[in-house]
Amino acid sequence: MEVVSVADAGRVTETGETGAHGARLTIDLGAIVANWRMLAARGAECAAVVKADAYGCGVARVGPALWSAGCRTFFVAHLAEGIAARAALPEAAIYVLNGLPPGACEPFAAHDLRPVLGSREEIAEWAAFSGGGRPAALHVDTGMNRLGLPVPEALELSGDPRIAAAGIDLLLSHFVSAEKPEDPVNARQIADFARVKAAYPGLLASLANSSGVFLDGAGHDLLRPGYALFGGNPTPDSANPMRPVVRLEALIAQVRQVEAGASVGYNGRWTAPAPSRLATLSLGYADGFPRAISGRGQALVGGVPCPILGLVSMDLIILDVTAAPAARRGATAVLIGDSLDIDTVGRAAGTIGYEILTGLGSRYVRTYVG
Ligand SMILES: *Cc1c(COP(=O)(O)O)cnc(C)c1O
């Protein structure tokens, strides 16, 4: 998609769409599918991680698009997310990464969801309930110390009848630093996971998240990407091989000229060093745009990078549009899109693109294309 022209912005305003909402989020389902196909072409079967409402992109639309492309296995974080995913994906295998909360077997079964079991208690509870008749995964902790059985415990349990009784058909582990290929922890985790896999013959194995897909020896039977599907760069040391997915554009509510010395926004955090043209955007931190980007980020107006001035407000952002002749009331500014990819926006906010994506709010109008 090219930069939104003033004429295009006018058209959007006439429809009342952006005018009613302040901002528009465009999600390119075709790009998500293309990203999934690109990852799936790297060898193993490719699942899709669609936790946090498909990284903010909406599982109700993303799920069926990926299913149509051939994706058959999905991962979410919570039971509630699993129920939402099930509504969109009646036939898919859906695993719930955060495991089995006490007493939750019934709703898991009612929605045909597969818990990713991470402790002896979870294995015992699921086994007692399902008697092996319902699939589940086993999470092995190879270094995160977050979820899953430690490697020695997983090795000790192999061959234990409780594993079969819990219906375990998939073994998974998660990388600590897959986006840093030079980190020696990757090779340690790959080796430990291979040892556990060898102790569980017949189970499918899954290790690679988005960045892991690009690490040697991490492929196994099932890839488990999330971020890269949604346009994030899985190889931060080199150019992003993924297609961008989200585009966030906000309406310019007002444009004003200020004199040198004028202070701008809450606490007067920015003072104009020279006469300046300012534009006020109808989008703020209540829309999920990070306040931490105050004074550090940019937006594009007619393709011109315009600095974000002072503090981001709840509903508004102030831009310096002195260099952007296209800025006028009713035009739009691009907050995410073109040169402002999610990784760039994340860095500017002192965080990662993941947090930008999953923070995307529901306040603006959402448009799906592709
Ligand atoms: C979130 C998550 C993934 C996906 O990770 P990305 O880096 O977004 O590809 C895979 N596996 C587990 C266990 C996760 O929690």
Side-chain angles (χ1 to χ4, degrees):
M1 248 184 288
E2 67 263 88
V3 173
V4 170
S5 67
V6 173
D8 184 39
R11 182 186 59 74
V12 170
T13 307
E14 275 157 27
T15 67
E17 253 193 338
T18 306
H21 288 268
R24 174 173 57 167
L25 183 71
T26 306
I27 295 161
D28 188 342
L29 294 173
I32 296 173
V33 165
N35 287 337
W36 181 80
R37 289 208 169 105
M38 189 271 243
L39 297 169
R42 295 185 69 91
E45 185 187 339
C46 193
V49 179
V50 292
K51 58 194 181 187
D53 199 21
Y55 289 58
C57 291
V59 73
R61 299 297 300 268
V62 170
L66 287 170
W67 174 268
S68 297
C71 184
R72 292 294 174 264
T73 305
F74 294 80
F75 291 86
V76 296
H78 303 292
L79 172 60
E81 291 181 357
I83 293 170
R86 174 58 72 215
L89 293 159
E91 295 171 73
I94 301 174
Y95 289 93
V96 178
L97 289 164
N98 283 20
L100 182 70
C105 289
E106 287 282 0
F108 267 83
H111 299 278
D112 193 18
L113 301 172
R114 307 177 177 196
V116 179
L117 305 170
S119 67
R120 285 171 192 263
E121 296 97 309
E122 289 180 47
I123 294 167
E125 194 169 329
W126 188 250
F129 174 80
S130 74
R134 292 183 172 277
L138 179 64
H139 200 145
V140 181
D141 193 326
T142 53
M144 282 287 260
N145 282 308
R146 191 177 69 165
L147 284 176
L149 293 178
V151 169
E153 224 178 297
L155 292 172
E156 196 185 299
L157 264 188
S158 71
D160 190 299
R162 280 170 294 184
I163 296 296
I168 290 168
D169 63 354
L170 173 71
L171 209 55
L172 72 82
S173 191
H174 192 48
F175 277 116
V176 171
S177 291
E179 78 286 5
K180 298 189 174 104
E182 72 288 356
D183 192 324
V185 72
N186 293 316
R188 263 204 314 278
Q189 290 187 274
I190 288 170
D192 281 346
F193 189 64
R195 278 201 298 146
V196 176
K197 183 185 175 182
Y200 287 82
L203 293 196
L204 291 177
S206 174
L207 179 58
N209 67 334
S210 295
S211 296
V213 172
F214 296 86
L215 290 177
D216 288 338
H220 294 290
D221 307 310
L222 185 68
L223 306 174
R224 233 169 48 235
Y227 189 50
L229 297 175
F230 305 102
N233 187 357
T235 56
D237 296 339
S238 40
N240 190 350
M242 312 315 298
R243 276 177 54 179
V245 167
V246 301
R247 184 177 180 87
L248 179 60
E249 296 156 296
L251 194 70
I252 295 178
Q254 277 199 4
V255 174
R256 73 185 59 233
Q257 183 71 32
V258 298
E259 297 306 320
S263 74
V264 161
Y266 283 118
N267 307 144
R269 191 62 69 86
W270 188 82
T271 302
S276 304
R277 230 174 132 239
L278 311 183
T280 305
L281 301 185
S282 273
L283 170 139
Y285 62 76
D287 298 277
F289 199 75
R291 185 172 179 273
I293 210 165
S294 296
R296 310 205 298 173
Q298 295 181 330
L300 305 171
V301 180
V304 178
C306 298
I308 291 174
L309 302 177
L311 294 175
V312 170
S313 304
M314 185 185 291
D315 321 298
L316 299 163
I317 284 175
I318 304 162
L319 296 182
D320 183 348
V321 294
T322 308
R328 60 163 178 78
R329 172 173 169 261
T332 54
V334 177
L335 278 302
I336 300 174
D338 303 323
S339 59
L340 298 176
D341 58 63
I342 50 177
D343 291 285
T344 300
V345 174
R347 255 191 316 278
T351 180
I352 53 177
Y354 288 73
E355 194 175 339
I356 301 301
L357 271 183
T358 56
L360 294 172
S362 53
R363 200 181 194 192
Y364 21 69
V365 66
R366 280 170 179 248
T367 307
Y368 288 89
V369 297

